[in-house]
Structures are given as structure tokens and as C-alpha cells.
């Protein structure tokens, strides 16, 4: 089972991926984690990637795909994988397709996780983070409130709303995502593996995906 997971920040990709990992016994591959492990392994393409990351630059697509090509052939990806957060552009999507074709790997489901903007806003603006840099515990005023409002359970420091989690900041992030990803959705829309999972709860989204892949 090979799945591409697309969705805005706060759409719940992590939770859906976790359910699919459990359901199919497949591996979740996020670009960030993959690059970090390649760098830690300290060999081959990982060394080149490290240079870019140390300079705070974007790792070029060709390098990401090279690392990914190796990663997807490892033992733990035999049953399949979920690619999370990649591709983000049409260029990446085209290169990914070429690479997978070369490996003889077919994508079973391209999932567009569609969550209404107000749900995402509510989800992300309700987060509170401990202001103590050594703690950084995360709370949620609706789903996981701290015992004492505004105070971290773990260390007693004040909890704050991060600058990038205010309503204004999140609206901006969603707008950027929309602009970047809309063409990608357009690109995949006619692929027989494409499925839109319209849901603000993870389970129905997973059901839509299962229905798509016939399980
Ligand atoms: Zn704390």
C-alpha cells in the first residue's frame, strides 16, 4: 500500500497517517525526518544535504529525491509507505513519478485531506505552548487544557499562544498553502488514485481512503 498524503497545516495529516500506519503496517515517511536520518547516517547524499541544512537553505529537489529513492527501497518500506508533506509542487510531483516508475512502484491512493478553514483555525488557534524553552509542553484550551489556565502543568511557567498560531498568522499560512497546492491538486485530480477525504475527524477520512483502495 503506497499513499501520498496532501493537506493543509492543521488538517490532521499526522493523525490520519498514524491510523493508516496501524491499518496497513506501512511506514510513514516525512521529508524532514528522512533528511535528518540521512544526515545522521553521515554518508553519501546525507552529507550533501547537511551542507544545505546547516546554511539554512532549502535542500534541492534532486537531492531529496535521491535520498528518498534509497529510503523507499529499505526493508521497512516493503509493505508500503505514506509520503507526508511531499510533493509540494508540480515539479516535485513529476520527478517523484519518474523515480517511482523507475522503481516499479505504483501509488495506490493520492489523498487530499480537505478540512474546512474554520475547523483548522479553531484547532490551531486553541494551542498553547509552555514559554519555558526547556519545556515547551503543548496544551489545547479545548481538548487538552492545563490544570490551571495559562500555567504549564509540567513546570509552572506561563503558557503562551505562539506568534505563528494566531488567527492572522494561520490565515496567512493557509492562504500560502492554498496558492502553492491548488495547482498540485489540479495536477493529480484526474489520476485514478486521487481521493478527496472531506472530513474534520480522522476516522471518516481513513474510511474514505480505504473505500478508494478497496479494502
Ligand atoms: Zn512547561
Amino acid at each position: 500500500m503506497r499513499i501520498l498524503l496532501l493537506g493543509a497545516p492543521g488538517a490532521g495529516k499526522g493523525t490520519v497517517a498514524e491510523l493508516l500506519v496501524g491499518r496497513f503496517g506501512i511506514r510513514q515517511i516525512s521529508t524532514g525526518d528522512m533528511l535528518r536520518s540521512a544526515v545522521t547516517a553521515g554518508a553519501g547524499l546525507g552529507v550533501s544535504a547537511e551542507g544545505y541544512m546547516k546554511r539554512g537553505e532549502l535542500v534541492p529537489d534532486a537531492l531529496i529525491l535521491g535520498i528518498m529513492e534509497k529510503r523507499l527501497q529499505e526493508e521497512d518500506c516493503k509493505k508500503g509507505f505514506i509520503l507526508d508533506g511531499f510533493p509540494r509542487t508540480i515539479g516535485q510531483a513529476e520527478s517523484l513519478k519518474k523515480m517511482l516508475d523507475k522503481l516499479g512502484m505504483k501509488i495506490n491512493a493520492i489523498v487530499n485531506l480537505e478540512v474546512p478553514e474554520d475547523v483548522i483555525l479553531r484547532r490551531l488557534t486553541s494551542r498553547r505552548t509552555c514559554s519555558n524553552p526547556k519545556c515547551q509542553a503543548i496544551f489545547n484550551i479545548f481538548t487538552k487544557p492545563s490544570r490551571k489556565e495559562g500555567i504549564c502543568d509540567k513546570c509552572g511557567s506561563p503558557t503562551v499562544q505562539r506568534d505563528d498560531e494566531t488567527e492572522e498568522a494561520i490565515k496567512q499560512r493557509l492562504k500560502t498553502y492554498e496558492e502553492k497546492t491548488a495547482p498540485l491538486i489540479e495536477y493529480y485530480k484526474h489520476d485514478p488514485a486521487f481521493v478527496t477525504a472531506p472530513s474534520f475527524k480522522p476516522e471518516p477520512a481513513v474510511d474514505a481512503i480505504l473505500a478508494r483502495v478497496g479494502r
Side-chain angles (χ1 to χ4, degrees):
M1 182 58 52
R2 305 189 189 96
I3 298 170
L4 300 187
L5 198 52
L6 314 172
K13 287 197 297 287
T15 319
V16 170
E18 221 169 87
L19 290 170
L20 292 168
V21 162
R23 179 70 171 72
F24 294 113
I26 54 181
R27 196 74 185 163
Q28 180 184 2
I29 307 284
S30 87
T31 322
D33 293 344
M34 184 190 73
L35 287 176
R36 277 188 291 275
S37 341
V39 167
T40 308
L45 299 175
V47 176
S48 319
E50 188 177 18
Y52 289 96
M53 288 160 84
K54 274 196 173 150
R55 292 192 297 273
E57 292 169 19
L58 280 180
V59 180
D61 288 353
L63 198 49
I64 295 181
L65 282 151
I67 293 172
M68 191 176 278
E69 182 174 341
K70 283 214 167 72
R71 183 69 189 85
L72 298 184
Q73 294 179 83
E74 280 173 26
E75 190 62 31
D76 61 351
C77 289
K78 276 244 160 75
K79 284 172 127 178
F81 51 79
I82 301 171
L83 279 189
D84 164 11
F86 192 93
R88 285 186 205 273
T89 63
I90 291 184
Q92 289 177 344
E94 285 170 341
S95 310
L96 177 67
K97 184 171 181 348
K98 266 189 214 140
M99 187 255 277
L100 293 172
D101 283 349
K102 190 171 94 185
L103 298 178
M105 290 180 178
K106 203 176 155 316
I107 294 294
N108 304 91
I110 300 160
V111 181
N112 177 30
L113 215 51
E114 205 173 60
V115 180
E117 182 173 303
D118 58 320
V119 175
I120 293 185
L121 271 176
R122 187 182 143 96
R123 206 175 266 171
L124 293 182
T125 57
S126 56
R127 288 225 297 206
R128 297 293 179 271
T129 308
C130 175
S131 58
N132 173 1
K134 285 188 184 141
C135 174
Q136 295 189 317
I138 292 171
F139 301 92
N140 185 299
I141 54 174
F142 300 120
T143 58
K144 194 191 166 197
S146 54
R147 282 191 296 271
K148 198 167 168 225
E149 198 188 324
I151 299 293
C152 175
D153 286 352
K154 288 186 182 147
C155 73
S157 303
T159 59
V160 293
Q161 184 172 38
R162 281 174 23 178
D163 287 345
D164 60 348
E165 289 177 347
T166 61
E167 184 162 337
E168 273 318 297
I170 288 162
K171 277 190 174 156
Q172 190 53 48
R173 270 161 77 189
L174 290 175
K175 202 172 146 233
T176 307
Y177 174 82
E178 195 65 41
E179 281 165 8
K180 272 197 182 160
T181 318
L184 192 60
I185 303 293
E186 203 53 42
Y187 172 85
Y188 278 131
K189 216 161 79 181
H190 303 291
D191 192 302
F194 185 79
V195 54
T196 289
S199 171
F200 47 88
K201 286 222 169 82
E203 289 83 4
V206 169
D207 289 344
I209 297 164
L210 296 181
R212 183 76 204 76
V213 297
R215 307 258 179 134

